[in-house]
Amino acid sequence: MKALPWLGLTVGLGLTAAWVAGGLSGDDVSAWLNGWLVGPFVLVFAVPTLFSTSRLFAGGFAALTGGVPKEFRDAPIGMGTVVGVARTGLTVNDQPQLDIRFQVDTADGRTFPATARQVVDITELSLVQPGAILPVRYLSDGRAVLATDAPPHELQAALDRVHVAKGILTPHQLRITEEGVETSAVVLDMVPTGQTPDGRTALRLSLRVTRPDGTTFDVTQEKKLPPMSIPQVQRGMVVKAMYLPEDESDVAVLTKLLP
């Protein structure tokens, strides 16, 4: 597939050279209307199409259809905060291809810029607006791709470890998400108390948590959540929660990764 565009270019140049030679050898304009006229048409129309198609297949057709290209499979997952979005001008089945610029936070505490070039369903464009936090697989050269192949539990684990690395989640709270009992809780009260330097909302959250036997206990604790999670913890809402049966003083609230 890679050689085909170059073969087309070679043939096109050869035919065009013959066309020019035929035209120059004649005495009037009609000499240019010779059989080699196909050469310029090959160069102008066929060759660009061949090169475009070649790049599509060689450069990651999976990325253009929402999948994960081969070189990203098993790449580490980080949390990417969208800082900019631009259309490339390419569309696939009427869906736009975007260059999505991220600040990526990793499980080992690093933060770096990365760019993902990916086709996004037009109905999901609201998910890739500046400020949104999305899971990405990343490479050391600064390229990234939306982690559309990762199951929910892997995404949640990656998010938890990033939060620990950034100091948003304590190791004890991580232990709760890994070993605790999953249940539900009703938000009794939610009071914002400020903003953190990374744009998260600090709040005081009061919950009524249901034990596995149906009984309940109340707990009030300080949380730091991204803006996109605040609508999920409004007063009266039911949220997923986890806690350690031997320690009911600390509860992990499981908000959705995406809005």
Side-chain angles (χ1 to χ4, degrees):
M1 189 69 183
K2 292 181 179 179
L4 189 57
W6 295 104
L7 177 60
L9 178 62
T10 301
V11 172
L13 288 173
L15 294 174
T16 300
W19 172 67
V20 171
L24 293 176
S25 64
D27 297 327
D28 54 31
V29 176
S30 63
W32 293 92
L33 301 176
N34 57 65
W36 302 111
L37 185 58
V38 68
F41 284 92
V42 170
L43 288 179
V44 173
F45 298 105
V47 171
T49 300
L50 287 172
F51 271 101
S52 176
T53 304
S54 177
R55 285 195 300 269
L56 197 61
F57 280 92
F61 187 75
L64 296 180
T65 55
V68 174
K70 184 177 180 180
E71 64 266 34
F72 286 93
R73 290 170 190 165
D74 298 323
I77 295 177
M79 292 299 132
T81 301
V82 179
V83 297
V85 180
R87 295 198 180 206
T88 66
L90 177 67
T91 60
V92 176
N93 294 329
D94 296 325
Q95 309 301 329
Q97 185 190 57
L98 306 177
D99 277 339
I100 310 170
R101 293 186 291 110
F102 293 101
Q103 281 294 113
V104 177
D105 295 310
T106 70
D108 57 8
R110 294 181 296 126
T111 299
F112 60 89
T115 300
R117 173 166 288 189
Q118 192 150 352
V119 166
V120 176
D121 191 297
I122 197 168
T123 63
E124 297 178 348
L125 291 180
S126 61
L127 301 182
V128 291
Q129 297 303 308
I133 300 174
L134 302 170
V136 297
R137 291 194 184 275
Y138 61 88
L139 301 177
S140 58
D141 61 5
R143 289 183 297 149
V145 66
L146 297 179
T148 56
D149 64 322
H153 71 272
E154 185 177 355
L155 296 179
Q156 187 64 54
L159 178 63
D160 290 342
R161 283 168 173 75
V162 168
H163 283 176
V164 170
K166 292 176 67 67
I168 298 169
L169 197 66
T170 67
H172 177 67
Q173 290 169 331
L174 177 60
R175 180 174 168 242
I176 293 174
T177 64
E178 293 179 336
E179 303 175 12
V181 175
E182 185 170 342
T183 183
S184 63
V186 177
V187 178
L188 301 178
D189 198 18
M190 188 276 286
V191 180
T193 58
Q195 294 289 123
T196 63
D198 62 357
R200 293 175 179 270
T201 300
L203 48 87
R204 184 177 302 109
L205 196 63
S206 296
L207 303 170
R208 178 158 294 159
V209 184
T210 301
R211 300 185 182 94
D213 63 4
T215 60
T216 62
F217 66 92
D218 294 350
V219 62
T220 297
Q221 52 193 14
E222 303 295 324
K223 293 290 184 184
K224 298 175 183 177
L225 297 178
M228 61 190 293
S229 296
I230 301 304
Q232 303 175 43
V233 293
Q234 297 299 306
R235 186 179 302 175
M237 287 189 167
V238 178
V239 296
K240 288 184 178 181
M242 297 187 74
Y243 74 99
L244 297 172
E246 66 271 19
D247 181 7
E248 296 181 347
S249 65
D250 198 356
V251 175
V253 177
L254 307 181
T255 56
K256 294 180 181 179
L257 188 62
L258 299 175

